[in-house]
Amino acid sequence: MNKPIFTVVLAGLLVAAASVDAASLKCKLIMPGDKSWEGSIVGRDGDWIEFSTGASPRPIRVGASTIKELEFEVEVDLERLNILNREREYENIISVLERMLAPFAEYDDIPSNLTPYKSSLMETYYKIKNYDMTLGIAAKLAKDDRNPELQERSRVYQALALIDAGRAEEAQAVMSKYGWDQNLGEDAPPEKLYIMAKLLALKKDYSSAMELVAKIIAFNSQNPEWMQPAEFFCAEIYTELGMYDSAEEVIRQISLLYKDTNEDDMAQKLKLKIEKLRAEKELQESLETTEEA
């Protein structure tokens, strides 16, 4: 997982979330054995898909469960999504992706080339902390083994969403199921170290969590996808421990190295939280001193 799937999607797809006629969806229908037809889906009747090849005045009927894959014709505004992503306009990204995917919802149970778009939607929902939507999409993607990288990524976000939603036991079950809580040495994948660190922090084991975060930072400096959130998480742990000076130093580094990123945005919010915590601490100490006097 060297590249964010969201980046891969944006880099590999073309222009504008155009309107699609839901009554006639152009696609390639691929059957087992890779026999395929070019044409359009013109309707659905339960498990039956009505598919027009254009060679006959009447569409053919194909059992949905017998279809290997549908390759839909889709269009995405690459330039617009790149701009929205840089500006962290995540709600707008979600709007674009959902509008693009909407005409194909009736065929969501059939394997298709829409999986990368759904993965991008999953990640964006996670960024805005909508964990229910993240988990809903991740659960479906985790069952699709056609693309092992996307399948693994969906599992990663499933675990992250469970942890951030405070569902420690469910997250631990996911970690154990895939063996992610084993072999967490310096050569472990950074995403596994990161997930386990967050789970440990959720359980208030900050010392062990910091050890894993340190491994990410020490051995994955060329992997910004996990390096940046790991550094921000480091600042969060320092804050939880009341080590405000250390947390603010990490925040300064984030602002210097990762300016205008999602981590920078979150770091500035954390900085305000630390200022509030400092003020509350100073007030409490002042009150205690007055009572002693």
Side-chain angles (χ1 to χ4, degrees):
M1 287 190 210
N2 295 325
K3 263 188 169 181
I5 294 300
F6 188 82
T7 302
V8 173
V9 171
L10 297 189
L13 299 173
L14 299 175
V15 219
S19 60
V20 180
D21 181 2
S24 180
L25 301 172
K26 290 184 179 180
C27 71
K28 177 190 286 188
L29 187 152
I30 305 173
M31 299 296 290
D34 292 331
K35 185 176 182 180
S36 64
W37 293 271
E38 299 279 355
S40 300
I41 291 180
V42 295
R44 180 168 190 170
D45 179 15
D47 190 51
W48 293 98
I49 302 298
E50 296 184 345
F51 186 81
S52 173
T53 63
S56 170
R58 299 183 63 181
I60 60 174
R61 286 167 63 84
V62 182
S65 59
T66 68
I67 298 172
K68 179 180 179 181
E69 185 175 4
L70 296 173
E71 290 187 0
F72 293 107
E73 287 190 11
V74 292
E75 295 183 343
V76 175
D77 189 337
L78 169 63
E79 183 176 357
R80 181 186 177 196
L81 284 177
N82 274 326
I83 291 172
L84 292 175
N85 192 44
R86 285 197 302 270
E87 295 180 350
R88 281 89 69 204
E89 293 286 343
Y90 300 128
E91 294 282 2
N92 286 334
I93 291 173
I94 288 170
S95 177
V96 170
L97 289 173
E98 286 194 330
R99 189 164 62 251
M100 184 274 290
L101 289 167
F104 312 104
E106 188 176 359
Y107 310 98
D108 197 47
D109 58 311
I110 304 173
S112 74
N113 61 328
L114 301 177
T115 303
Y117 299 96
K118 296 174 184 177
S119 183
S120 295
L121 187 60
M122 169 189 70
E123 294 181 37
T124 310
Y125 268 122
Y126 176 75
K127 289 178 180 178
I128 66 168
K129 305 183 187 302
N130 188 330
Y131 304 127
D132 287 341
M133 289 299 296
T134 303
L135 289 167
I137 299 172
K140 293 179 180 178
L141 295 181
K143 297 176 183 177
D144 188 347
D145 60 3
R146 291 172 303 138
N147 186 323
E149 185 176 359
L150 283 175
Q151 184 181 42
E152 183 83 345
R153 196 167 184 84
S154 68
R155 293 168 177 170
V156 167
Y157 276 88
Q158 182 181 26
L160 287 173
L162 287 170
I163 292 167
D164 287 353
R167 296 157 64 176
E169 290 186 6
E170 293 172 78
Q172 181 65 66
V174 171
M175 298 291 289
S176 298
K177 180 179 180 179
Y178 302 119
W180 294 351
D181 51 358
Q182 305 295 321
N183 303 317
L184 294 170
E186 61 189 46
D187 58 343
E191 62 270 25
K192 308 302 181 355
L193 294 172
Y194 181 70
I195 295 169
M196 195 61 195
K198 287 180 72 73
L199 180 57
L200 288 168
L202 181 60
K203 295 179 178 181
K204 308 298 182 183
D205 187 354
Y206 297 117
S207 177
S208 298
M210 188 63 85
E211 287 181 14
L212 296 183
V213 170
K215 290 178 183 178
I216 300 172
I217 295 172
F219 302 107
N220 297 274
S221 60
Q222 302 305 312
N223 189 331
E225 181 184 6
W226 297 105
M227 181 75 168
Q228 291 175 204
E231 291 204 43
F232 173 71
F233 187 51
C234 181
E236 286 187 305
I237 294 175
Y238 280 137
T239 302
E240 289 293 330
L241 293 172
M243 301 171 65
Y244 302 141
D245 290 342
S246 297
E248 287 176 331
E249 178 57 34
V250 175
I251 289 171
R252 280 192 287 273
Q253 290 298 314
I254 290 173
S255 296
L256 178 64
L257 298 174
Y258 312 126
K259 187 176 179 58
D260 295 329
T261 64
N262 193 44
E263 286 73 28
D264 187 22
D265 290 347
M266 293 190 295
Q268 296 312 308
K269 292 178 182 178
L270 182 59
K271 184 178 179 180
L272 294 175
K273 177 182 176 180
I274 292 171
E275 290 174 358
K276 181 180 179 181
L277 290 171
R278 278 187 186 278
E280 291 174 351
K281 182 180 179 181
E282 290 174 0
L283 177 59
Q284 183 61 34
E285 290 174 349
S286 175
L287 291 173
E288 290 174 357
T289 300
T290 301
E291 289 175 359
E292 290 175 0

